[in-house]
């Protein structure tokens, strides 16, 4: 086994597990919670080994609470592995089992994770429902559920209304993470805020709107340093991709291309295809600006065909708009004026849909009473 996590929550769980060694049922539940923490720190092999052992135990000594935690753990294994798979179904099962067994705190945590998955899937209706359910069941000591639902709502408000609208929820999430000793949560919050801010910079540049200079976020290596300090993160591959996007906006095409070429294959294989097609267009733009016109044209054509073949459901609306806007730039640089004009038209239509989606999300979140955390 690798070096023990330095996370405060990991140390707390290790201590609690040792303290209840003579109580097998309680010990197994805590071990399932620790396996989930290992997942969140990117330690899939350790988590897999522990979960396999706990599944075997659950067959010999069935317990409803342990079954619910194992469903949640397997759902998160799928979620962190590919942001999809059967993750949602497993977490839903965890919620149902927890509810049937009267485990309200675990039910709240499952609802909070479902809200997070709803955000990733851009499903505002279910996000609202799951967030409301999690908040309604939340007890003062349910810090894991509080952190997770606050993160989902912060992300939703960041998309809908920007950093100021999201700020109260980010602050509430941080309070819960600190109270729990959840260093993985604090690292994820730092990354999520940086990601959303970086995407706004990128989208503003592609839409021709005023925005922050990308240089303000190019020091994002601090995210990786914090992750290393507490024992790793579930998706350390995402930070270099964000840096590549910002470098592309800034015009550092050679460095951005090197990062994209190194990171994109594994990222797309691991479930980031929704973002990957947009990043293919970024790489084509880098090549168009570093004298590799033939490679740029071939990759731009590939990205255009892939998004058409997927019926434009391959990525989120904002990323779809970014993809078309970037392809318009590539084709214009390559003097393919007809193709550039078609992509520019597609980008304008997608930006309009993106704006409508943001307004809809803000209205739905407000109407649901989710503008700010509960007092």
């Amino acid at each position: 086994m690798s070096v023990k996590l330095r996370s405060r929550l990991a140390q707390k769980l290790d201590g609690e597990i040792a303290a209840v060694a003579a109580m097998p049922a309680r010990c197994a539940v805590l071990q399932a919670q620790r396996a989930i923490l290992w997942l969140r720190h990117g330690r899939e092999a350790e988590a897999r080994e522990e979960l396999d052992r706990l599944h075997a135990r659950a067959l010999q000594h069935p317990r409803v609470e342990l079954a619910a935690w194992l469903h949640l753990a397997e759902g998160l294994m799928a979620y962190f592995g590919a942001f999809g798979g059967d993750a949602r179904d497993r977490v839903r099962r965890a919620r149902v089992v927890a509810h049937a067994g009267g485990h309200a705190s675990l039910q709240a945590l499952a609802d909070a994770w479902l809200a997070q998955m709803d955000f990733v899937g851009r499903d505002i209706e279910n996000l609202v429902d799951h967030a409301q359910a999690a908040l309604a069941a939340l007890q003062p000591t349910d810090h894991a559920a509080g952190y997770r639902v606050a993160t989902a709502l912060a992300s939703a408000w960041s998309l809908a209304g920007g950093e100021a609208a999201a700020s109260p929820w980010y602050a509430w999430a941080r309070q819960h993470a600190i109270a729990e000793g959840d260093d993985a949560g604090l690292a994820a919050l730092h990354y999520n805020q940086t990601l959303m801010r970086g995407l706004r910079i990128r989208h503003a540049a592609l839409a021709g709107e005023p925005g922050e200079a990308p240089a303000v976020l190019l020091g994002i290596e601090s995210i990786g340093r914090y992750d290393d300090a507490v024992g790793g993160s579930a998706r350390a591959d995402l930070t270099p991709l964000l840096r590549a996007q910002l470098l592309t906006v800034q015009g550092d095409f050679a460095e951005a291309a090197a990062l994209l070429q190194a990171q994109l294959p594994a990222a797309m294989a691991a479930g980031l295809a929704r973002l990957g097609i947009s990043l293919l267009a970024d790489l084509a733009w880098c090549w168009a600006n570093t004298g590799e016109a033939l490679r740029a044209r071939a990759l731009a054509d590939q990205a255009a065909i892939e998004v058409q073949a997927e019926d434009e459901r391959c990525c989120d609306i904002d990323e779809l708009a970014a993809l078309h806007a970037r392809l318009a730039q590539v084709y214009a640089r390559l003097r393919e004026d007809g193709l550039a004009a078609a992509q520019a038209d597609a980008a304008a239509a997608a930006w309009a849909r993106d704006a409508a989606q943001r307004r809809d999300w803000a209205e739905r979140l407000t109407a649901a009473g989710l503008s700010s955390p509960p007092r």
Side-chain angles (χ1 to χ4, degrees), residues 277 300-315 320 323-324 327 343:
I277 296 178
D301 288 347
Q302 177 187 331
I305 289 170
E306 285 196 28
V307 73
Q308 189 174 32
E310 292 283 350
D311 193 26
E312 297 197 340
R313 289 177 297 208
C314 59
C315 50
L320 180 65
L323 165 67
H324 287 304
L327 288 177
Q343 291 294 333

Side-chain angles (χ1 to χ4, degrees), residues 175-209:
Q175 290 173 16
H176 280 290
I178 291 170
E180 183 83 338
D182 185 2
D183 292 312
L186 291 172
L189 276 178
H190 181 28
Y191 173 77
N192 286 344
Q193 287 184 276
T194 303
L195 171 66
M196 299 306 291
R197 192 175 168 195
L199 290 180
R200 283 195 293 274
I201 290 171
R202 178 175 182 247
H203 293 163
L206 285 166
E209 299 171 353

Side-chain angles (χ1 to χ4, degrees), residues 9 26 72 94 141 158 165 169 211 223 239 249 265 272 275 295 301 312 325 327 344 352 366 375:
L9 181 54
R26 178 58 184 159
L72 179 61
T141 57
S158 187
W169 286 107
I223 297 174
T239 303
V249 173
L272 287 180
L275 176 63
R295 294 177 79 190
D301 288 347
E312 297 197 340
L327 288 177
T366 301
R375 296 185 182 277

